[in-house]
């Protein structure tokens, strides 16, 4: 009999079990022994189609389909899976399935994962967010296990689409998700490159999430080895073979996309995982790079130098640039001592090496690749990227880290790009910036760089000729920017060639030039002034002030005005004294007028310049200049803008040190300092503490002044307060130093208590240094007599000092990584000074006790 004949239900009563199948909502618990044994696949599908017309029964229907498929696993049950996919597609958008249902569906579908339709069903369920995290983990685990069945191109593509949509797994277990995608990539190579591209793009999106979770052991190396293997599989014959020579245009196009995707993943890995760069060097561009290297040892270099695709060369350069930038610590780490086979530690080398030998060779390999690419590359976009990579190499592994011959060859190539009339404007600008970067990060003793500046027809003459070129495409701002960078380390050499540089900078500061050009010019002068070189003569300063800064001080761009004031703040007292009176007056008036500039940033720099120059007699001796400085700092200390207020309070300390005031002026200063000490900003409190230190010292120097009780109490409380910022506390310790020698002062006990508390409770090394230096100024008794008030606090001082010694020896003090050794030595020296002072005082106290004991003994004998 056939179904659908002679019955109102459209079904011939072939068996009661078939009618039950079509109309029942009961899930059979054991389908292997149930009535489905008599039902064919075709009959089951027709009955299931009838049940599918009732959407409310779809979950039960899906469960029956899964169990039927498991029971009939030896038959062709593809029609059942097709119908299952159709049922899933007809589910309403907001539908959900129970965890039990999805688990059984996934189990059944994974058992038939060889069938492409099963993967499509799982993909549909993942797309509709019907899978639980456990289901997605099971799917990923099955994908990671190597399959014994040969997969077709369509199978791999469907599997890649499925794994890319396991969003719950990607959120909670990104490493597991990436591991499953790795296996798909390896299966897809040469079979379905589109599937590999999908997986690679998905991995690139997942990598930024890895920093939030704990990385499994060996993950980074496994991932990079996979990428390396993919690139080797994609290159038939030789990696250096041009893509245009590969099998047809279509193949070249798909290979290009896949290679770019691999390189993008590699770049993302090195960006987000700290250990990826070291592994990438060993695989993609190892130190054995050369003409005789094996194909798999120069894959990245070959892609950069010989690929016919602009996209591939650009992506490879992006990966190389990220490798270089993320390897700065690897390039600069010292060699570690090794151990022999018997476990005995060998002695470290006597001469310190700034680079490990292996990473030095890697840096030189990168230098060779980039230099060759600078010579061969014809595409302006890719060439600009090569130039940027050269700049990155100069920052991470500057000369003389790389051999002088390689650095010289790269510099010659960059200069050739700079001064060639046929060079693209963008490439020329990048080459100029790269040259400046090489000079800014190279050691000051790098011989060949110095020689290029000193040579009469060298770099500076070439820059000057290029600057005055009539070609409008010449990047003049980049030329001056390169000069600015060179002046960071080689300002002295630039100063010796000032006759070439000065006219160029004067023209660059012209009001008609661009803002960027004017800013780079004034920053170049600032770098030269900050070098403190021998060329900074009064004549040089007179020329700079009269020719360059006169225009800069009235510039319309705030950064130019602020930088010009910062240049003036670097002038030394000796040079300022030798300036003529008109120039000195001009400097004073320029700074004071800038202190009332409309721009907050200019005012802040001007106020700092006042603090730097107010101590110069020639500066403050100008008529009404000192009073104006005093007024400016007081007004600025009451501003609401935090930066202006902090700078004003810091400059106020210099004003107090340089001037003499009447009582009313001291009172105003004290009020401003008290307001600063009560500020909510720790930067304001730290600056106010510096002003308080100057005020306390000034008033103790003047005879008859002993009215600082409230200020000293506030400063002492700040030194003892553990909630205060450490900079506030160590400034407070320094501020109390003038009080300690004056044992007759009413505030002496308060100051000593604050210092002892700071020394005893603080865990910061610099606070300890400040407190010990202040305690080292304790007065030593000049005669042997009765115990004074000083002696009563010797015990507290000893306890605080011993506590500091225990913290230092126990490593409890917070020491910066870079300056740990310097601060530790300074801390030990300060503790030793305080220890010596207390020991001297104790010796006098012991002598006094012996004298008292001898007097009492004589009195007892007399009686």
């Amino acid at each position: 009999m056939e179904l659908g004949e002679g019955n109102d239900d459209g079904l011939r009563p072939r068996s009661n079990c078939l009618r039950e199948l079509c109309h029942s909502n009961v899930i059979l618990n054991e389908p292997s022994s149930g009535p489905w044994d008599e039902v064919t696949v075709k009959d089951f599908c027709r009955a299931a189609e009838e049940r599918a017309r009732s959407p409310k029964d779809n979950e039960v229907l899906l469960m029956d389909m899964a169990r039927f498929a498991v029971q009939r696993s030896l038959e062709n049950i593809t029609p059942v899976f097709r119908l299952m996919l159709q049922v899933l597609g007809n589910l309403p958008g907001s539908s959900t399935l129970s965890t039990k249902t999805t688990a059984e569906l996934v189990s059944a579908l994974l058992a038939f994962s060889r069938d492409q339709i099963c993967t499509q069903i799982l993909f549909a369920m993942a797309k509709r967010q019907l899978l639980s995290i456990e289901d997605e983990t099971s799917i990923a685990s099955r994908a990671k296990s190597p399959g014994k069945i040969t997969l077709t191109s369509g199978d791999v593509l469907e599997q890649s689409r499925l794994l890319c949509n396991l969003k719950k797994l990607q959120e909670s277990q990104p490493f597991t998700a990436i591991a499953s995608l790795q296996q798909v990539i390896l299966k897809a190579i040469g079979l379905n490159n589109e599937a590999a591209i999908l997986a690679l793009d998905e991995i690139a999106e997942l990598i930024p999430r890895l920093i939030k979770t704990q990385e499994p052991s060996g993950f980074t190396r496994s991932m990079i080895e996979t990428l390396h293997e993919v690139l080797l599989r994609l290159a038939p014959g030789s990696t250096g073979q041009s893509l245009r020579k590969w099998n047809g245009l279509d193949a070249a196009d798909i290979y290009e996309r896949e290679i770019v995707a691999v390189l993008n993943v590699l770049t993302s890995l090195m960006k987000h995982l700290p250990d990826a760069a070291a592994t990438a060097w060993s695989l993609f561009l190892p130190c054995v790079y050369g003409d005789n290297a094996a194909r798999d040892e120069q894959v990245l270099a070959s892609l950069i130098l010989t690929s016919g695709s602009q996209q591939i060369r650009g992506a490879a350069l992006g990966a190389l640039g990220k490798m270089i930038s993320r390897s700065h610590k690897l390039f600069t780490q010292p060699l570690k001592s090794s151990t022999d086979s018997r476990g005995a530690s060998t002695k470290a080398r006597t001469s310190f090496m700034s680079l490990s030998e292996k990473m030095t060779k890697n840096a030189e390999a990168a230098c060779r690749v980039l230099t060759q690419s600078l010579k061969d590359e014809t595409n302006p976009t890719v060439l600009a990227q090569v130039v940027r990579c050269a700049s990155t190499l100069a920052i991470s592994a500057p000369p003389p880290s790389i051999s002088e011959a390689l650095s010289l060859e790269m510099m010659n190539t960059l200069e050739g790009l700079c001064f060639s009339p046929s060079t693209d404007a963008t490439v020329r600008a990048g080459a100029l910036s790269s040259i400046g970067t090489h000079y800014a990060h190279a050691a000051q003793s790098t011989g060949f760089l110095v020689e290029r500046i000193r040579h009469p027809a060298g770099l500076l003459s070439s820059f000057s000729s290029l600057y005055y070129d009539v070609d409008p495409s010449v990047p003049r701002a980049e030329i001056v920017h390169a000069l600015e960078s060179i002046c960071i380390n080689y300002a002295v050499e630039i100063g010796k060639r000032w006759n070439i540089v000065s006219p160029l900078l004067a023209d660059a500061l012209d009001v008609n030039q661009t803002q960027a050009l004017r800013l780079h010019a004034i920053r170049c002068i600032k770098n030269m002034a900050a070098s403190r070189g021998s060329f900074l003569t009064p004549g040089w300063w007179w020329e700079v002030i009269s020719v360059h800064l006169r225009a800069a001080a009235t510039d319309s761009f705030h950064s130019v005005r602020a930088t010009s004031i910062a240049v003036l703040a670097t002038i030394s007292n000796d040079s300022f004294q030798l300036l003529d009176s008109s120039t000195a007056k001009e400097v004073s008036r320029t700074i004071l007028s800038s202190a009332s500039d409309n721009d907050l940033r200019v005012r802040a720099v001007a106020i700092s310049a006042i603090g730097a120059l107010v101590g110069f007699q020639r500066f403050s001796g100008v008529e009404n200049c000192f009073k104006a400085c005093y007024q400016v700092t007081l007004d600025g200390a009451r501003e609401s803008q935090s930066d202006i207020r902090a700078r004003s309070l810091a400059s106020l300390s210099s004003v107090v040190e340089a001037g003499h005031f009447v009582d009313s002026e001291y009172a105003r200063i004290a009020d401003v300092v008290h307001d600063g000490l009560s500020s909510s900003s720790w930067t304001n409190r730290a600056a106010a503490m510096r002003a308080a230190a100057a005020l306390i010292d000034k008033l103790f120097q003047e005879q008859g002044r002993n009215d600082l009780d409230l200020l000293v109490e506030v400063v002492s409380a700040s030194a003892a307060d553990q909630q205060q910022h450490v900079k506030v506390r160590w400034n407070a310790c320094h501020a109390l130093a003038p009080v300690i020698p004056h044992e007759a002062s009413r505030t002496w006990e308060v100051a000593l208590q604050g210092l002892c508390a700071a020394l005893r409770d603080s865990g910061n090394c610099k606070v300890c240094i400040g407190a010990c230096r202040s305690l080292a100024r304790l007065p030593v008794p000049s005669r042997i007599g009765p115990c004074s008030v000083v002696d009563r606090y010797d015990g507290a001082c000893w306890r605080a000092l011993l506590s500091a010694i225990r913290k230092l020896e126990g490593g409890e003090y917070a020491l910066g990584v870079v300056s740990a050794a310097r601060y530790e030595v300074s801390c030990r020296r300060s503790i030793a000074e305080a220890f010596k002072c207390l020991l001297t005082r104790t010796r006098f106290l012991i002598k006094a006790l012996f004298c008292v004991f001898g007097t009492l003994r004589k009195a007892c004998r007399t009686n």
Side-chain angles (χ1 to χ4, degrees):
M1 287 187 178
E2 295 294 329
L3 289 172
E5 295 181 3
N7 194 295
D8 295 338
D9 295 331
L11 296 174
R12 183 180 296 274
R14 182 175 182 177
S15 65
N16 294 329
C17 65
L18 186 59
R19 181 179 297 275
E20 182 181 353
L21 172 66
C22 295
H23 296 286
S24 175
N25 291 334
V26 178
I27 299 178
L28 301 177
N29 292 323
E30 297 181 359
S32 59
S33 59
W36 288 344
D37 294 338
E38 302 177 8
V39 180
T40 65
V41 173
K42 184 177 179 180
D43 291 343
F44 181 89
C45 290
R46 295 186 63 183
E49 286 179 0
E50 183 70 21
R51 287 180 58 184
R53 296 173 185 175
S54 176
K56 64 180 181 179
D57 193 30
N58 279 339
E59 182 169 351
V60 178
L61 179 59
L62 288 171
M63 182 75 77
D64 285 346
M65 289 179 177
R67 293 180 174 179
F68 182 82
V70 172
Q71 181 182 358
R72 301 299 182 87
S73 58
L74 299 179
E75 300 180 32
N76 180 15
I77 55 173
T78 301
V80 177
F81 288 133
R82 287 178 182 165
L83 185 58
M84 186 183 295
L85 184 61
Q86 180 181 346
V87 171
L88 282 171
N90 293 333
L91 288 176
S94 58
S95 298
T96 58
L97 299 178
S98 67
T99 304
K100 180 180 179 182
T101 301
T102 58
E104 192 155 349
L105 285 174
V106 169
S107 177
L109 292 168
L110 288 179
F112 295 91
S113 56
R114 66 182 183 273
D115 199 333
Q116 191 177 129
I117 189 68
C118 295
T119 308
Q120 292 176 357
I121 295 172
L122 290 172
F123 171 73
M125 295 176 69
K127 195 75 173 175
R128 297 172 64 98
Q129 298 290 312
L130 297 176
L131 299 174
S132 65
I133 182 63
E134 292 79 10
D135 299 332
E136 295 189 357
T137 303
S138 301
I139 294 171
S141 300
R142 177 61 64 90
K144 287 192 294 183
S145 60
K148 297 181 180 180
I149 300 174
T150 303
L151 298 176
T152 65
S153 174
D155 294 337
V156 175
L157 180 60
E158 293 298 336
Q159 193 174 32
S160 179
R161 292 175 60 205
L162 169 61
L163 294 176
C164 288
N165 280 273
L166 301 181
K167 301 303 180 183
K168 295 177 182 177
L169 181 67
Q170 293 173 4
E171 286 292 336
S172 60
Q173 303 176 39
F175 286 102
T176 303
I178 291 177
S180 63
L181 290 168
Q182 277 183 258
Q183 298 302 319
V184 170
I185 294 171
L186 294 175
K187 295 175 185 176
I189 298 302
L191 186 62
N192 191 314
N193 292 310
E194 193 67 33
I197 292 173
L198 282 175
L200 287 166
D201 290 343
E202 190 68 24
I203 289 176
E205 293 182 6
L206 288 175
I207 287 174
R209 304 180 189 176
L210 301 182
I211 57 177
K212 300 179 181 178
T213 55
Q214 182 67 32
E215 177 183 348
S217 176
F219 169 82
T220 300
R221 184 166 191 88
S222 171
M223 189 69 225
I224 293 180
E225 287 176 347
T226 298
L227 299 177
H228 185 251
E229 182 180 349
V230 169
L231 286 180
L232 295 181
R233 288 190 188 181
L234 289 173
S238 172
T239 311
Q241 186 174 358
S242 172
L243 286 176
R244 294 173 183 171
K245 299 179 182 179
W246 289 3
N247 301 325
L249 294 178
D250 295 337
D253 177 69
I254 195 67
Y255 281 148
E256 175 183 323
R257 292 171 56 204
E258 191 158 4
I259 290 174
V260 170
V262 171
L263 294 172
N264 288 339
V265 172
L266 178 63
T267 305
S268 184
L269 272 174
M270 289 183 291
K271 180 179 180 181
H272 295 95
L273 299 182
D275 299 330
T279 307
W281 280 111
S282 63
L283 290 175
F284 286 90
L285 192 67
C287 56
V288 296
Y289 169 77
D291 296 335
N292 297 324
R295 173 172 64 93
D296 60 344
E297 292 176 336
Q298 53 176 338
V299 55
L300 196 58
S302 298
L303 291 175
I304 294 172
L305 296 177
T306 62
S307 174
S309 166
Q310 172 187 339
Q311 285 73 24
I312 289 179
R313 297 197 305 276
L317 284 166
L320 178 58
K322 188 58 66 176
M323 283 170 60
I324 295 171
S325 64
R326 297 291 285 180
S327 302
H328 177 68
K329 292 182 179 179
L330 297 175
F331 287 139
T332 55
Q333 67 183 1
L335 286 175
K336 297 180 180 179
S337 59
S338 59
T339 55
D340 58 19
S341 58
R342 292 168 297 182
S345 177
T346 59
K347 294 184 178 179
R349 301 187 181 185
T350 55
S351 59
F352 175 81
M353 298 184 66
S354 59
L355 300 177
S356 66
E357 293 177 353
K358 181 178 179 180
M359 292 309 298
T360 299
K361 293 180 180 180
N362 284 335
E364 291 182 347
C367 185
R368 291 191 190 96
V369 172
L370 293 175
T371 303
Q372 191 63 42
S373 183
L374 287 171
K375 296 176 181 178
D376 299 343
E377 185 59 59
T378 57
N379 185 280
T381 303
V382 179
L383 186 56
Q385 195 169 358
V386 179
V387 171
R388 288 194 294 272
C389 284
S391 298
T392 305
L393 182 64
I395 295 172
S396 298
S401 302
I402 300 174
S403 67
E404 184 171 316
L406 290 174
S407 298
L408 183 59
E409 185 181 3
M410 176 174 280
M411 288 293 290
N412 286 333
T413 308
L414 289 170
E415 289 181 17
L417 291 173
C418 287
F419 306 124
S420 173
S422 61
T423 302
D424 180 77
T426 304
V427 175
R428 178 180 289 173
L432 285 165
S433 176
S434 183
I435 289 174
T437 303
H438 275 78
Y439 276 93
H441 292 84
Q444 297 182 7
S445 59
T446 307
F448 77 94
L449 295 180
V450 175
E451 185 60 32
R452 300 179 89 80
I453 300 176
R454 290 179 178 176
H455 197 277
L459 190 64
L460 297 184
S461 298
S462 301
F463 277 176
S464 180
S465 300
L466 182 62
Y467 180 87
Y468 290 111
D469 196 313
V470 295
D471 186 358
S473 65
V474 171
R476 290 179 174 81
E478 280 71 18
I479 295 173
V480 182
H481 188 195
L483 278 176
E484 174 194 340
S485 300
I486 294 172
C487 285
I488 294 175
N489 284 329
Y490 296 88
V492 175
E493 301 300 329
I494 298 291
K496 294 176 181 178
R497 309 283 291 170
W498 180 245
N499 60 320
I500 298 177
V501 177
S502 180
L504 188 153
L505 295 178
D507 181 79
L509 284 168
D510 188 87
V511 68
N512 296 318
Q513 301 289 6
T514 63
Q515 285 186 356
L517 183 55
R518 301 199 307 273
L519 181 59
H520 290 314
I522 195 64
R523 283 178 176 173
C524 181
I525 296 174
K526 179 184 177 183
N527 290 341
M528 296 185 71
S531 68
R532 303 295 183 184
S534 58
F535 66 91
L536 299 174
T537 62
W540 186 89
W541 275 110
W542 179 86
E543 181 182 352
V544 166
I545 292 171
S546 59
V547 178
H548 302 92
L549 296 184
R550 183 174 297 166
T554 58
D555 197 278
S556 59
F557 187 31
H558 65 83
S559 292
V560 176
R561 297 198 306 276
T563 308
S564 67
I565 301 303
V567 172
L568 291 176
T570 61
I571 189 171
S572 66
N573 190 17
D574 294 338
S575 297
F576 203 92
Q577 293 296 337
L578 294 175
L579 293 177
D580 60 88
S581 59
S582 61
T583 306
K585 288 181 180 179
E586 184 176 356
V587 171
S588 302
R589 291 168 183 168
T590 300
I591 292 178
L592 287 173
S593 62
S594 299
S596 58
D597 194 278
N598 293 329
D599 193 280
L600 287 173
R601 291 158 288 194
V602 179
R603 292 212 306 274
V605 176
I607 290 171
S608 295
I610 288 174
L613 301 180
V614 73
F616 296 175
Q617 185 177 0
R618 191 70 182 278
F619 175 83
S620 57
V622 177
E623 183 180 0
N624 295 325
C625 178
F626 184 81
K627 290 185 178 180
C629 293
Y630 165 75
Q631 191 60 46
V632 165
T633 52
L634 283 183
D635 293 342
R638 296 185 182 278
E639 282 204 23
S640 58
Q641 213 281 332
S642 181
D643 185 39
I644 295 290
R645 193 176 183 188
R647 289 173 182 257
S648 299
L649 288 166
S651 296
L652 182 60
S653 63
S654 300
V655 172
V656 172
E657 292 172 358
H660 298 279
F661 307 95
V662 297
D663 290 351
S664 59
E665 291 172 332
Y666 277 126
R668 287 186 63 191
I669 295 173
D671 289 342
V672 169
V673 170
H674 277 294
D675 290 342
L677 292 176
S678 61
S679 172
S680 59
S681 169
W682 71 263
T683 55
N684 291 341
R685 297 197 302 274
M689 202 63 74
R690 291 177 56 188
L695 182 60
I696 293 172
D697 187 42
K698 191 76 172 180
L699 293 182
F700 268 106
Q701 289 176 13
E702 296 189 4
Q703 298 295 328
R705 299 206 58 88
N706 201 19
D707 53 355
L708 292 172
D709 297 12
L710 180 59
L711 183 59
V712 172
E713 288 177 4
V714 174
V715 173
S716 179
S718 298
D721 188 359
Q722 298 186 44
Q723 302 301 321
Q724 287 281 10
H725 193 276
V726 290
K727 289 188 177 182
V728 179
R729 297 189 73 182
W730 78 57
N731 281 349
C733 291
H734 287 297
L736 293 174
V739 184
I740 298 304
H742 302 276
E743 59 178 298
S745 170
R746 296 195 303 266
T747 57
W748 184 88
E749 296 182 39
V750 176
L752 194 61
Q753 290 173 0
L755 290 173
C756 290
L759 189 59
R760 183 180 60 251
D761 301 331
S762 176
N764 185 269
C765 188
K766 296 180 77 172
V767 175
C768 173
I769 293 171
C772 286
R773 286 178 178 174
S774 296
L775 287 177
R777 300 182 64 180
L778 280 167
V780 177
S782 58
R783 61 184 177 84
I784 299 174
C787 296
S788 64
V789 69
V790 180
D791 303 322
R792 296 205 305 266
Y793 289 92
D794 282 358
C797 294
W798 275 115
R799 286 191 294 271
L801 192 60
L802 292 175
S803 174
I805 293 173
R806 282 195 299 269
K807 289 181 181 179
L808 181 63
E809 296 301 326
E812 299 180 28
Y813 277 128
L815 297 170
V817 176
V818 177
S819 55
R822 177 168 61 88
Y823 280 136
E824 185 174 356
V825 171
S826 180
C827 187
R828 290 183 183 279
R829 186 179 294 115
S830 301
I831 290 176
E833 292 173 359
F835 191 88
K836 180 180 177 181
C837 178
L838 286 175
L839 195 61
T840 305
R841 288 168 49 77
T842 304
R843 184 184 64 188
F844 275 94
L845 180 59
I846 292 173
K847 287 184 177 180
L849 290 175
F850 272 111
C851 289
V852 172
F853 178 74
T855 303
L856 291 175
R857 187 177 181 185
K858 290 180 181 179
C860 290
R861 287 179 179 177
T862 303
N863 294 334

